[in-house]
Amino acid sequence: MRQPRHGGNLAWAAAVAGCPLDAILDFSASINPLGPPNSTLAAIQSELGNIRHYPDPNYGELRQALARFHKLPSEWIMPGNGSAELLTWTARELSQVAATILVTPTFGDYYRALGAFNAKVLEFPMSLINSDLSLIVDKGFTTNDKGLLLNNPHNPTGKLLTRDAILPYIKEFDLVVVDEAFMDFLHPSEEQSLIDVVQEYPNLVILRSLTKFYSLPGLRLGYAITHPQRLQKWESWRDPWTVNSLAAAAGVAAVEDKEFQQQTWEWLPKAKKDLFEGLADIPGLQPLKGAANFLLVESKHSTSDLQQKLLQHHQILIRDCLSFAELGDSYFRVAVRLEEENQRLVEAIRELGIRS
């Protein structure tokens, strides 16, 4: 079985570990371990009787719930079959500009989506230490005929770009896309979302995921926020009923679950701090500080070898970074999980004898 390019491939992990899928402790996919919320499970249960009918093609109830959540008109929001589907239509738009700038290392699915439409890509490396976008304009080429595709917080480093760092670029580029898949893990007092300015910029697209924060990746649910005219064009491109009725019901319940949101914001900071300190205390490992619910960790030894040993001896799956050309075998990424699970990971790595 081919080694996966993304996290969360439990079938591959179980084959390597020689164990059932449910025996794998998965640190490779950055999913909230507190979920799914009971409210979403109840919503799915209540919707089961309606699976004999087609979903509402306009997803009116889900759009209204998202509109209330973000204080936007509902016509500025489009639900999708995961943010990956919406990335595909974003890439189709980006293929129509002269080139798209990616700040690397970055999420591998961007290359998939852009490549599907033969979009030209220009790569610019971001320092793993400093979050700085000034290098883009320092190159001296024109930007108003190009697109910019960013993720914030940045994947895979977890670095958080400030609103002030991004805002000037919206005026510089023909189209700016900001993937905020992990932004909801930050408390509203700390987040740097651009959602509240999206109505000021017709060339701005924001992508969001509902599956990571609410632990629903199997349902595939995300949404895009951008000008209604752009969304109408996307509607003409895509298949009908891309979001199933169970996912739509779960999405409504999720964004209305204030208790679960608050629980997550209270749990994450300490859990991440403890995991960071546990990994940093192991000779040969250096985690990077970040704002998301995962940690990128630099290692002085082969991380793909570590991945294999963790699976074979402890049934633990970490995310290698071989798909990120700039990182290679010197880095791995781990999600922040529950306290006892994080301790199990740290103890397993110690037992395997990582040395400086």
Side-chain angles (χ1 to χ4, degrees):
M1 189 179 296
R2 180 180 300 177
Q3 189 163 352
R5 291 178 58 84
H6 299 285
N9 192 325
L10 298 186
W12 174 84
V16 173
C19 68
L21 268 68
D22 59 6
I24 298 294
L25 177 55
D26 185 14
F27 281 86
S28 71
S30 300
I31 305 300
N32 189 346
L34 303 184
N38 290 333
S39 60
T40 63
L41 298 178
I44 291 169
Q45 182 67 36
S46 67
E47 189 65 21
L48 287 175
N50 290 325
I51 62 174
R52 70 190 70 186
H53 307 297
Y54 286 103
D56 170 12
N58 296 314
Y59 302 104
E61 187 177 358
L62 177 56
R63 271 185 153 138
Q64 288 294 335
L66 292 168
R68 291 192 297 271
F69 186 65
H70 291 300
K71 299 179 175 58
L72 287 172
S74 61
E75 60 266 26
W76 284 74
I77 302 170
M78 173 187 283
N81 185 29
S83 56
E85 184 224 342
L86 302 164
L87 175 61
T88 297
W89 309 129
T90 301
R92 182 169 175 175
E93 289 242 4
L94 288 168
S95 70
Q96 299 169 16
V97 299
T100 296
I101 289 176
L102 296 180
V103 179
T104 61
T106 196
F107 182 38
D109 206 42
Y110 297 161
Y111 295 97
R112 185 275 310 168
L114 292 165
F117 300 101
N118 298 313
K120 183 177 179 181
V121 174
L122 298 176
E123 297 176 314
F124 289 86
M126 182 182 77
S127 167
L128 300 187
I129 305 301
N130 300 310
S131 302
D132 186 8
L133 294 178
S134 62
L135 53 88
I136 294 174
V137 293
D138 287 347
K139 293 297 179 181
F141 58 73
T142 60
T143 56
N144 58 14
D145 62 346
K146 296 178 177 66
L148 175 63
L149 174 53
L150 299 170
N151 44 25
N152 193 35
H154 183 254
N155 178 12
T157 67
K159 298 295 182 183
L160 182 66
L161 296 169
T162 66
R163 287 162 45 96
D164 290 343
I166 302 175
L167 281 171
Y169 292 93
I170 302 177
K171 299 175 182 178
E172 296 283 340
F173 285 86
D174 184 86
L175 181 62
V176 174
V177 181
V178 184
D179 180 354
E180 295 185 351
F182 294 99
M183 188 67 77
D184 42 8
F185 283 97
L186 282 87
H187 188 274
S189 63
E190 300 174 344
E191 71 170 20
Q192 298 293 317
S193 176
L194 294 178
I195 288 176
D196 61 352
V197 299
V198 72
Q199 291 178 278
E200 301 174 29
Y201 300 99
N203 65 325
L204 176 62
V205 176
I206 297 173
L207 302 179
R208 281 281 184 126
S209 169
L210 282 168
T211 59
K212 296 174 176 62
F213 186 89
Y214 298 101
S215 193
L216 299 166
L219 280 184
R220 312 306 308 130
L221 183 60
Y223 54 101
I225 302 176
T226 190
H227 196 282
Q229 289 183 354
R230 174 171 291 109
L231 295 181
Q232 290 168 13
K233 179 167 53 176
W234 291 8
E235 288 282 10
S236 70
W237 290 346
R238 70 177 185 168
D239 297 338
W241 306 298
T242 57
V243 178
N244 69 72
S245 56
L246 302 183
V252 173
V255 297
E256 293 177 348
D257 196 331
K258 307 299 183 186
E259 182 179 350
F260 181 82
Q261 294 157 14
Q262 188 63 39
Q263 182 185 11
T264 299
W265 296 328
E266 292 175 357
W267 152 77
L268 181 57
K270 183 180 185 303
K272 183 166 62 175
K273 176 178 179 291
D274 290 347
L275 179 57
F276 181 97
E277 291 176 350
L279 293 170
D281 194 47
I282 298 175
L285 297 185
Q286 181 54 64
L288 278 67
K289 291 187 179 296
N293 64 320
F294 56 80
L295 294 173
L296 181 68
V297 184
E298 185 176 9
S299 172
K300 293 186 177 180
H301 294 277
S302 167
T303 56
S304 56
D305 181 61
L306 175 62
Q307 182 190 60
Q308 294 277 330
K309 289 180 178 178
L310 283 171
L311 281 171
Q312 292 166 353
H313 298 285
H314 298 278
Q315 293 80 52
I316 294 175
L317 175 61
I318 61 173
R319 170 76 153 86
D320 70 47
C321 292
L322 296 178
S323 62
F324 301 102
E326 300 84 358
L327 301 181
D329 204 29
S330 298
Y331 290 85
F332 65 91
R333 199 187 70 191
V334 289
V336 181
R337 296 191 58 90
L338 301 177
E339 180 182 2
E340 60 272 18
E341 295 171 329
N342 296 335
Q343 290 176 348
R344 179 179 160 190
L345 171 68
V346 172
E347 291 168 3
I349 296 177
R350 282 190 181 280
E351 183 181 313
L352 291 173
I354 297 296
R355 296 181 177 88
S356 60

